[in-house]
Amino acid sequence: SLNTPIHVDDGFNEYESVPKRKKSTTSEVWDEMTNLECENKDKLKAQCNHCKSIFSTKSSNRTSHLRRYLNSCLKKINKGIT
């Protein structure tokens, strides 16, 4: 048949698994948050350095909700007031 795949021995049939490179934390959010290590890597957490609240960082926009929270964190806002 015309749709039958043709096997080509090009030496690239077996692939090795390359470990993923860990992304650097370049966002300014990480200056005010601590990334918490968890046993389950699918459930990553972050902790506010000001009020110690814990947040999920599983979503694709890891730092967007953390940045929004930091803009309203009362302990951060009141830090400079004595």
Side-chain angles (χ1 to χ4, degrees):
S1 104
L2 295 174
N3 294 331
T4 305
I6 300 171
H7 176 72
V8 177
D9 188 12
D10 58 2
F12 293 104
N13 292 332
E14 293 183 28
Y15 297 96
E16 291 183 22
S17 177
V18 178
K20 289 184 178 181
R21 185 174 49 147
K22 195 172 185 178
K23 282 187 173 183
S24 63
T25 53
T26 57
S27 175
E28 69 277 357
V29 166
W30 298 113
D31 294 337
E32 301 183 57
M33 291 276 189
T34 302
N35 199 10
L36 301 176
E37 296 291 329
C38 299
E39 287 182 24
N40 185 349
K41 298 296 181 191
D42 293 334
K43 296 183 178 180
L44 299 175
K45 304 283 183 187
Q47 184 175 32
C48 177
N49 293 344
H50 305 286
C51 67
K52 306 303 180 197
S53 295
I54 296 177
F55 302 92
S56 169
T57 60
K58 181 182 176 184
S59 67
S60 58
N61 289 333
R62 267 181 79 168
T63 58
S64 296
H65 69 288
L66 300 176
R67 185 177 298 110
R68 282 191 300 273
Y69 174 77
L70 285 171
N71 288 333
S72 64
C73 177
L74 294 176
K75 293 214 175 185
K76 178 185 176 216
I77 292 169
N78 294 330
K79 191 173 186 178
I81 301 172
T82 55

